Every structure is written in C-alpha cells, then in structure tokens.
Amino acid sequence: MAPNSPQRHHGDEGEDDDAITSETTPLLGASITLGAGDRDETKPLLSSSSASSHSHSTSHQAFTPSSSDTTTTTTTTSSPPPFPKTQILLLCYARLIEPIAFFSIFPYINQMVLSNGGPNLHESDMGFYSGLIESLFSLTQMLVMVLWGIAADRIGRKPVLVSSLAGVVLATAAFGFAKSIPQMILFRCAAGVFAGSIVTIRTMISELSTKQTQATSFSWFAVAGNIGIFIGPLIGGALADPAAQYPGSVFSGVPFFERFPYALSSIAVAAIGSTAVVTTALFVEETLYKDNKPDPSGETGAAPRIHTNSTWDLLKAPGVGIVLYNYGHVMLLAFAYTAVVPVFWATSISLGGLGFTYLQISLFMALTGLSQAIWLLLIFPPLQHHLGTNGLMRACGVAYPFFLGLMPLLNAVLRLRTQAGDIAFWILAPTLLSLGPGVSMAFTGAQLALNDVSPSHETLGMLNALALTLSSGLRSFSPALFASLFAVGAGSQFFYGYLVWIVLVLLALGFTISTRYLPETSEEPPENEGARGEDDASVHSSSTGR
C-alpha cells in the first residue's frame, strides 16, 4: 500500500474531483505501527516520502534552467479531503442486503420446515431443523470469509463486492423454491458462501474515510445494518404464503403461490438485492490501488509499503491480536443480549421476565432501535472525536455491566405487585432502554480500532475477514447457548431466574478489563491527524518548489 505520502495527497493544481478516492483512501497508509513502548504510536512516513519527493524535485530541476537559478519554497495549508458521501451511501445500501437475506426467513422458517419435511417429520423436531438451517448461513459464512478477504486484497474490492452480492441474490431467490429440507440446507449454505459482501464493504468504507470522518462513516454503516435487520423479517412475514395469508386477494387460487408458498418473499428480497448489484456495479468506485497501478491522481506509488506474508503474520502484527479479541468479546455480548432480551420480555414475571404482550414487545424493540440509531448517528461521531477510539471503547466497557445488571432490577420491581413498583418500572424501563443502547457504540468503535491497527492498506481486507469470521462463528452458536441459559435459570429459579444476567454481567466485566489493554494506535484524538497532514503538505510543497 502506498503510504499517505505527499505524492498521494497532492496532484497537479488542475486535478479534478476523480482524485477524491485516492485522497480519502489510505487512512492507515500514512503511518506504521511502532513498538508498544513508543508513546507516539504512529508516525508519518516522511523520511522516505520526502526523500522520494526531493529526488523527483532534483531530477526535475536538472532539466529546468529556471529552477537551477532560484529555489522557491512555498508552504501551503492542507485542507481536509471532501467527505465522499455518495460513495458511503452506496456502500451502506449494499450493506442492507446481507441482514435482509439472513433475517427474512425467520418469520416462516418453522412452517416451511414442517411443510417440506413430509409426514415423517414430527413437530417436536421442527426446532432442530429450523435452528440448523438458520445457523448454517453463519457457519458457511465463517468458513469462506477469509477467502473473500484474500480475493478483495488481490483482485480488487469492487469485483468481489459485485460478485458476492449477485451470489446472495441468486441463492436467496432459490431458497423460496426449495421443496425439501436438503434443498433448503443447500440454498442456505450457498447464500452463506456468497455473504462476503460485508467484508468488502467494511474495508471500502475504511479506505474512503479519514481519521476525522471514519466515525461518521461507520455510524452510517451500523445504522444500515440495523435497518436491514428490521426490514428482513417484515418482508419475510408479510409475503410468506400469500395465498393462505391473504384469502380473497390476487394471490388466492394462483397455482404458483400454492405450489411455492415462500417464493414471493425470497423473490422480493432478491429484487432488492438486484438493485444493490446494479448500483454497485455502475456507481461504486474501486478503492484498492496496488503498487504497480496508478492512483487516481495519475502517479504511481513509489513509497515503501508494509506487507504481511500470511494470516499468521497478520495476527502477530503489533496490537492485532488484542483488538481482534475485543472485537469478538463485544460481538459476543451483542449476540447474547439480542438472543435473551425478547425471551426475557415475553416470559412471565414469576419466572424472571417482564410478561410483555406482543404489542409491548414491538414498542420496546422500536424504542431500543430508535435509541441506538440516535446514539450512533448523533452522539458517536463527536464523542469519538473527543475521546478517541480507545477512550470511547473503555467508556462503553464501564457502562456495559451496569446496563446488563439493571435488567433483573426491572423484574424485581414488578415482582412487588404494588402500584409503586409498577410506577417505578414504567420510569426505569423506558429510561434504561433509551440510555442503555449507548453501549452499542462499542461495536462501531471496535471496527475503528481494527482500521487503526491494520499494518497496511493491503491487509485491511484480510483483517476485516478475520474479524467477521470470528463474528460469524460466534453468531452460529451464541443465540442458542444464551437462550438456553435463560431457560435453565427460569426453570430452576436459580437466583430468582437471573442466571443468564449473572453470566452476562461477568462477561461484560471481562470486556471492561480487556479494553484497558487496547493498543495505543487509536489513543490520539482525530484532530492530531490534521496537523500531520499539514506537515505532509509543507514537505511536499518545499520539495516541488511550488
């Protein structure tokens, strides 16, 4: 990867807007990671870059008589590159497809298993097969994620993104036509194989962002994922088996919908995915520029680049291991909470839940989603700008145990069966679910920490692939594990049914501790990058005689 050297930051004065990508790309390329003992953890590669610029300048002066007579040194002020809003929004739109495809089958998977299982499938076995089919997406995704990362680093981000989106579209469309459980497993695994788009999207957003803009970029990315999680089940539930669900409608009596009752839902998801394929292919720009390829400013990268020869080398790079651990730890907390809280809300008060109705569950889910969106869009960017990524992660690490530990308190006040207890609940619950989702900033903060710790631009795809492989592996088993823990606690009434919350608080305390060991790569607030950029500009201007 070409470092964020003067050559890459400044083209000719008539350089057009097409150079935006190169100016915003090497977020990590401007620095190398030093030893842990060095307080100034990242330093611009000015020595080699300025030497290169000086050599170029000297060569130019040898052929230009006027430059041999006078030496002009001009210092210019570097302005931050424009925020590539259109590119980020296009990538966020592509981001919607994976969660929509993953979650769209949840409303109807049990009924589809029963109808495709034949007369020999008992209803008691339905949960096993539906859980297996749901998990196979993440398991298959985990197995191939690193391969997608390698492909993105070698052949380019855009072709990998387009091909993976197209594969998910085809596999998702085919799933609705499955007429047996083996066919359902096959198409679900195929969708998981092609679900590498999230690796490429995260990498491209990293490359399009600067230190100042990455918090905003990844807050948009996170909200796009949440929108996909929200839209997917709505599409699946609304369009599954339309002939039976909407009697007397245009679907009723149509042989196609009676033979393939789940095709319409899959076709709708595939249609949305197809629009993302088209917009990505036509409008998304490539963000990977290799050593032997010119960047958009028209210059070839001449500055030294950092490479790793293998996945093991990348894992041994300074800070990578502990950042990946923190990423996995916070994702485990997220998956566990997501699996437990709907069951907690629906379980009766006497067993340790809140006894919510379906309407109350929907309203509280909406409140949680709205709160999380506000935290990510409005609060996360300035807070990360002020505290730095490590500071924000540590703040979330402190808040996490309190957020999870207060959940049993909601049940405790309802168990009082008094008016005062009910009033206290309706004060505490909305307040907790408005403020508590602020811990979700740790998910986006973990992504920024990955960006900062990557040894080079070229290894960013592989590092994201490793992180998402870890995430997919955790997602494949954690929902069943923690939902089972809740069931065991509720059934045995161990500590009033709060067993799972005790486990989650202990896990959250582990995250509180692990964030203390984050490397110093992200310690400095983003403002410091601007000063380094201005130094780069001064060196370049001096060496070129502008």
Side-chain angles (χ1 to χ4, degrees):
M1 168 205 64
N4 204 3
S5 63
Q7 289 177 327
R8 292 183 68 87
H9 267 277
H10 297 271
D12 296 333
E13 293 185 5
E15 186 177 7
D16 59 20
D17 291 338
D18 291 337
I20 289 175
T21 302
S22 94
E23 291 184 326
T24 58
T25 308
L27 143 74
L28 304 170
S31 59
I32 58 175
T33 305
L34 301 180
D38 196 317
R39 173 62 187 159
D40 191 8
E41 70 283 309
T42 57
K43 292 183 180 295
L45 298 176
L46 291 178
S47 55
S48 57
S49 302
S50 57
S52 175
S53 299
H54 178 69
S55 174
H56 176 78
S57 173
T58 305
S59 174
H60 178 73
Q61 289 173 3
F63 291 96
T64 308
S66 60
S67 65
S68 63
D69 297 332
T70 59
T71 301
T72 304
T73 300
T74 305
T75 301
T76 60
T77 301
S78 175
S79 59
F83 180 54
K85 183 184 298 184
T86 301
Q87 290 295 301
I88 298 295
L89 288 175
L90 287 169
L91 291 171
C92 286
Y93 182 63
R95 167 71 180 107
L96 292 173
I97 306 308
E98 189 262 355
I100 289 177
F102 181 79
F103 287 100
S104 63
I105 73 167
F106 278 44
Y108 63 81
I109 183 64
N110 291 319
Q111 189 59 40
M112 188 176 184
V113 165
L114 279 179
S115 62
N116 287 344
N120 296 326
L121 180 67
H122 297 286
E123 187 174 351
S124 59
D125 297 325
M126 174 184 67
F128 168 78
Y129 286 105
S130 61
L132 175 65
I133 292 169
E134 290 169 1
S135 299
L136 281 173
F137 185 99
S138 295
L139 284 171
T140 313
Q141 188 182 44
M142 176 186 69
L143 294 175
V144 301
M145 197 69 76
V146 171
L147 299 179
W148 283 112
I150 293 173
D153 284 340
R154 291 185 178 176
I155 66 176
R157 317 302 194 202
K158 183 174 179 176
V160 168
L161 178 56
V162 172
S163 59
S164 62
L165 286 173
V168 168
V169 166
L170 294 175
T172 302
F175 184 82
F177 291 88
K179 298 300 293 180
S180 68
I181 290 179
Q183 288 180 3
M184 294 171 67
I185 291 174
L186 173 64
F187 294 136
R188 191 64 168 170
C189 287
V193 166
F194 287 100
S197 59
I198 187 173
V199 178
T200 316
I201 293 169
R202 283 169 54 152
T203 304
M204 294 177 79
I205 290 178
S206 299
E207 292 164 342
L208 287 167
S209 303
T210 65
K211 200 88 165 181
Q212 293 94 335
T213 63
Q214 64 175 348
T216 300
S217 299
F218 278 97
S219 66
W220 291 9
F221 173 84
V223 170
N226 289 340
I227 292 173
I229 293 171
F230 176 75
I231 291 176
L234 287 181
I235 296 174
L239 300 182
D241 199 2
Q245 191 172 182
Y246 306 109
S249 66
V250 294
F251 306 109
S252 183
V254 178
F256 175 81
F257 293 116
E258 292 178 349
R259 183 181 179 189
F260 302 106
Y262 307 102
L264 181 61
S265 172
S266 294
I267 291 172
V269 173
I272 296 173
S274 297
T275 62
V277 173
V278 172
T279 56
T280 301
L282 294 180
F283 305 115
V284 170
E285 299 172 0
E286 179 60 75
T287 61
L288 176 66
Y289 298 98
K290 294 181 176 291
D291 293 345
N292 59 348
K293 297 174 77 173
D295 65 33
S297 64
E299 301 179 7
T300 57
R305 302 173 183 232
I306 305 169
H307 297 278
T308 56
N309 297 321
S310 67
T311 303
W312 182 242
D313 290 337
L314 179 57
L315 289 173
K316 291 190 298 182
V320 169
I322 187 62
V323 170
L324 276 175
Y325 173 81
N326 276 276
Y327 178 87
H329 200 140
V330 75
M331 295 312 296
L332 179 63
L333 287 170
F335 295 145
Y337 178 79
T338 302
V340 168
V341 76
V343 186
F344 172 63
W345 289 343
T347 302
S348 63
I349 297 172
S350 60
L351 293 178
L354 300 184
F356 279 177
T357 65
Y358 291 130
L359 176 60
Q360 288 172 326
I361 290 175
S362 299
L363 292 174
F364 269 67
M365 289 185 71
L367 174 62
T368 303
L370 176 63
S371 172
Q372 190 176 75
I374 291 173
W375 278 100
L376 290 173
L377 287 175
L378 302 181
I379 301 175
F380 174 78
L383 194 60
Q384 189 273 342
H385 189 77
H386 178 70
L387 297 178
T389 301
N390 284 3
L392 184 140
M393 291 278 287
R394 288 165 184 158
C396 291
V398 170
Y400 233 125
F402 292 99
F403 172 59
L404 296 174
L406 286 172
M407 287 297 173
L409 180 62
L410 298 178
N411 171 261
V413 297
L414 287 177
R415 284 187 188 235
L416 297 175
R417 305 288 184 179
T418 63
Q419 184 178 5
D422 291 344
I423 294 174
F425 172 82
W426 288 109
I427 294 173
L428 284 173
T431 303
L432 180 60
L433 293 179
S434 298
L435 300 178
V439 298
S440 63
M441 294 187 295
F443 314 148
T444 306
Q447 173 62 52
L448 302 190
L450 284 173
N451 296 345
D452 293 334
V453 83
S454 178
S456 75
H457 174 63
E458 278 92 352
T459 59
L460 192 55
M462 172 63 79
L463 185 57
N464 274 291
L466 290 173
L468 289 164
T469 298
L470 177 62
S471 175
S472 297
L474 293 170
R475 188 169 68 172
S476 67
F477 73 85
S478 54
L481 172 63
F482 288 97
S484 299
L485 273 177
F486 181 87
V488 169
S492 65
Q493 280 298 287
F494 175 79
F495 206 81
Y496 305 101
Y498 302 154
L499 172 63
V500 71
W501 297 113
I502 295 173
V503 173
L504 287 176
V505 167
L506 291 175
L507 281 174
L509 287 171
F511 179 65
T512 306
I513 296 170
S514 68
T515 56
R516 302 296 169 180
Y517 296 93
L518 285 167
E520 295 182 349
T521 318
S522 307
E523 200 70 58
E524 293 183 359
E527 304 91 73
N528 295 332
E529 188 186 68
R532 290 197 294 268
E534 291 177 5
D535 291 340
D536 286 358
S538 299
V539 171
H540 177 64
S541 299
S542 299
S543 64
T544 56
R546 288 184 190 175

